Structures are given as C-alpha cells and as structure tokens.
Amino acid sequence: ELIQNIINNNRDLTELLASQVDRPVNDIDPVERSILYIAFYELKHRQDIPFKAVINEAVNLAKKFGALDGYKYVNGILDKAAKKLRVIEIK
C-alpha cells in the first residue's frame, strides 16, 4: 500500500518536498530522500498516524540506514513540514 501510494502521488509529494528543502530534491541522499517521501506521504495522507510517530520512525530509519548525521536533516525537514501539514494536531 505504502509503495503504491507513494508512486501514485509522486508528483504531489515531490512538489511538497521541494517546497520544504534547501536543495533540489534529486540532490538529497537517496536513502534520506526515500525516508522523506515515506514521511511526507504519511504526514499528508495518513492522518491516523500521529505526526510525532511519523517523525520518530523517519529519524530512526535515517539513523540506521542513512548517512552520518543524515537523521538531523530528516528531522529538521519533517519538523518544518509537520507544522504546515498537521496544523490542527500541533496546536
């Protein structure tokens, strides 16, 4: 389900991700980029998953599989994105 929905929503997710990062999306490390796609999909389309859980899982994945300190980048991007995508939940 997750993979298929990310593929189906790729254009929208790429535009959303591009609006939140400081570089072209394709310049982001492939592992961190994949983690961000998953997290952005869940933040936008899976309101049943608390935003803190989405961010925590993404950071843990980045710590385990990403580049050294890549988790810090992932965390910063997702914190910023959650404030826009989960306004009601954050208040």
Side-chain angles (χ1 to χ4, degrees):
E1 172 198 354
L2 186 61
I3 293 170
Q4 190 60 49
N5 285 326
I6 290 171
I7 291 169
N8 291 342
N9 293 285
N10 185 266
R11 184 178 309 211
D12 181 45
L13 293 172
T14 300
E15 289 174 8
L16 185 59
L17 180 56
S19 73
Q20 300 296 308
V21 296
D22 58 349
R23 63 190 77 165
V25 172
N26 287 334
D27 288 352
I28 300 170
D29 176 85
V31 173
E32 278 93 18
R33 186 173 62 231
S34 297
I35 293 167
L36 287 168
Y37 271 108
I38 293 167
F40 269 74
Y41 172 78
E42 289 180 343
L43 286 173
K44 185 167 184 188
H45 297 285
R46 295 293 310 268
Q47 300 294 315
D48 59 313
I49 303 172
F51 80 94
K52 288 182 180 181
V54 172
I55 293 172
N56 187 50
E57 287 297 317
V59 168
N60 286 336
L61 285 171
K63 282 180 180 179
K64 186 166 186 171
F65 299 107
L68 182 64
D69 291 335
Y71 72 93
K72 294 177 184 178
Y73 183 74
V74 168
N75 187 53
I77 297 300
L78 294 177
D79 280 341
K80 187 170 72 168
K83 290 175 184 168
K84 290 185 178 187
L85 296 172
R86 299 286 186 97
V87 174
I88 294 172
E89 191 175 346
I90 290 176
K91 287 184 179 180

